[in-house]
Amino acid sequence: TDVAVITILNVPDEPGTSFKIFGLLAQKNINVDIILQSIGRDESQDISFTVRRSDVDQAVALLEAHKSSLAFDHIDVDKSVVKVSIVGAGMVDNAGVAAKMFGALYDADINIHMISTSEIKVSVLLDEADANMAVQAIHDKFFGE
């Protein structure tokens, strides 16, 4: 539950933009987890990422302090999300694991805001109000009711 989404809107769609943003955050030891970059349009793009809720104010202040060099339009923050993950070795070799998780959330009428995957983990961002129901729905789907 200690997660928030920061979205930087209308940053230049050019080499080095992500490096500049995440380099600044790294210099201040602000850990970033899920990163979502939109497809460029009109020479700009949006970049969303998650940080700990306790790091939001510092991250936003840092980015705003470098607004002119980063050339973004504005920043949106959403602190009303949670991250739910399924973790397991060999998930990359088991087809349908992510679909099963997404099916559980669909069956529970829970909307997914962001998705991140790796060889051992699938994580989703959801509305904070759906956290307990999501965990229960996913558990029931994988382990039976």
Side-chain angles (χ1 to χ4, degrees):
T1 57
D2 183 19
V3 65
V5 178
I6 297 175
T7 301
I8 307 172
L9 292 109
N10 297 318
V11 295
D13 185 16
E14 60 189 29
T17 299
S18 294
F19 168 70
K20 291 175 188 175
I21 291 168
F22 298 109
L24 282 171
L25 297 169
Q27 288 174 12
K28 298 295 182 181
N29 294 317
I30 298 172
N31 291 321
V32 173
D33 187 18
I34 299 173
I35 301 171
L36 177 65
Q37 180 175 305
S38 69
I39 295 173
R41 66 194 179 297
D42 299 326
E43 299 181 17
S44 70
Q45 62 190 351
D46 300 334
I47 298 177
S48 298
F49 55 93
T50 61
V51 298
R52 288 186 195 100
R53 287 183 185 174
S54 59
D55 288 335
V56 168
D57 293 340
Q58 182 184 14
V60 170
L62 180 63
L63 294 166
E64 288 286 357
H66 291 85
K67 186 174 184 175
S68 61
S69 64
L70 295 173
F72 62 86
D73 184 41
H74 67 280
I75 296 174
D76 283 340
V77 174
D78 186 355
K79 295 180 182 179
S80 65
V81 296
V82 295
K83 180 173 64 171
V84 176
S85 302
I86 56 173
V87 180
M91 284 186 16
V92 72
D93 296 323
N94 291 303
V97 173
K100 193 172 184 178
M101 178 187 195
F102 302 153
L105 296 171
Y106 169 75
D107 291 343
D109 196 32
I110 296 172
N111 189 42
I112 299 170
H113 297 292
M114 291 174 74
I115 301 168
S116 175
T117 63
S118 72
E119 291 182 358
I120 64 165
K121 179 173 75 168
V122 178
S123 296
V124 293
L125 288 185
L126 315 166
D127 289 334
E128 187 172 29
D130 293 330
N132 291 334
M133 187 170 49
V135 170
Q136 188 65 55
I138 294 166
H139 180 272
D140 291 348
K141 182 69 86 173
F142 281 89
F143 302 107
E145 296 182 27

